[in-house]
Amino acid sequence: MTFCALAGLGTNAGAQEVFRNTVTGETLDVEGQAPKEGRDTPAVKQFMQTGVDPYVEVAGCLPKGEEIYLESCSGCHGHIGEGKVGPGLNDSYWTYPKNQTDKGIFETIFGGANGMMGPHGQDLELDNMLKLIAWIRHIQKDDVADAEWLNDEQKKNFKPFDIKAWEATGKAAAEKAQCKISGN
């Protein structure tokens, strides 16, 4: 039964992405380490096949992503990703250039990195990790011309993060929206 549940992460094993530790390059055991809950969503299935987070720019997913960020990340990376003990996450500079891609930032969060950045692969459900990544992308304050996580249309419509606007109206509007992608 466990084998069947794990096999369900990717319907076509040949097309499934290979995820690697940011520091060592070793293959991450996503199937063996991730919590069993939150694996069987359309978003996780799509991400495991493509390495692209389908929740990026889905407003209804942002409040949960913010909640996870504030609980798990803000102590080191700052309330809005400005950086503290850990590097900033809301600007166009990435300590690990691979974090410019959704797959890369997933690998860093899941497997950890240098310094105090421990692995969170056993702590966060995969679906919640994708919502967290969507939030990190949302708090971007710099130009997104080189943002690999956005398509050309998203880049055209992107507005730099404004905490005051988010708190005044953005969060309430996002809470009313649904966190779903096609296939939900």
Side-chain angles (χ1 to χ4, degrees):
M1 181 120 143
T2 303
F3 174 76
C4 292
L6 292 176
L9 269 176
T11 55
N12 181 349
Q16 188 161 337
E17 289 284 327
V18 175
F19 298 96
R20 300 198 173 277
N21 182 284
T22 296
V23 177
T24 67
E26 294 174 2
T27 302
L28 294 169
D29 183 11
V30 175
E31 292 182 17
Q33 292 182 342
K36 293 187 183 352
E37 301 79 23
R39 293 176 172 217
D40 200 29
T41 67
V44 170
K45 289 177 182 178
Q46 183 176 331
F47 179 76
M48 297 303 285
Q49 297 287 321
T50 66
V52 175
D53 185 347
Y55 289 146
V56 171
E57 297 296 304
V58 178
C61 300
L62 297 175
K64 182 64 176 178
E66 178 187 33
E67 176 186 321
I68 296 163
Y69 179 86
L70 292 173
E71 290 172 1
S72 302
C73 310
S74 65
C76 292
H77 295 286
H79 182 70
I80 52 173
E82 70 277 14
K84 289 168 76 176
V85 176
L89 302 175
N90 67 352
D91 57 24
S92 58
Y93 174 79
W94 293 97
T95 302
Y96 301 101
K98 73 188 252 171
N99 291 349
Q100 293 178 56
T101 68
D102 295 336
K103 178 183 176 190
I105 200 165
F106 173 88
E107 292 168 327
T108 299
I109 295 168
F110 191 93
N114 285 321
M116 295 174 51
M117 179 64 191
H120 292 281
Q122 296 176 331
D123 307 335
L124 294 173
E125 295 177 14
L126 295 178
D127 195 66
N128 283 339
M129 197 174 299
L130 296 180
K131 292 171 185 162
L132 169 62
I133 292 168
W135 176 255
I136 292 169
R137 300 310 194 198
H138 180 72
I139 60 176
Q140 176 72 25
K141 65 176 181 58
D142 287 351
D143 184 19
V144 293
D146 297 325
E148 293 181 38
W149 65 88
L150 295 173
N151 63 38
D152 290 340
E153 189 63 29
Q154 290 169 323
K155 287 178 185 179
K156 279 190 239 174
N157 296 321
F158 183 84
K159 292 183 176 46
F161 183 69
D162 178 344
I163 186 72
K164 290 178 183 172
W166 173 251
E167 291 174 345
T169 59
K171 185 172 184 175
E175 287 172 337
K176 291 178 185 173
Q178 292 185 348
C179 180
K180 65 188 281 188
I181 60 168
S182 66
N184 278 63

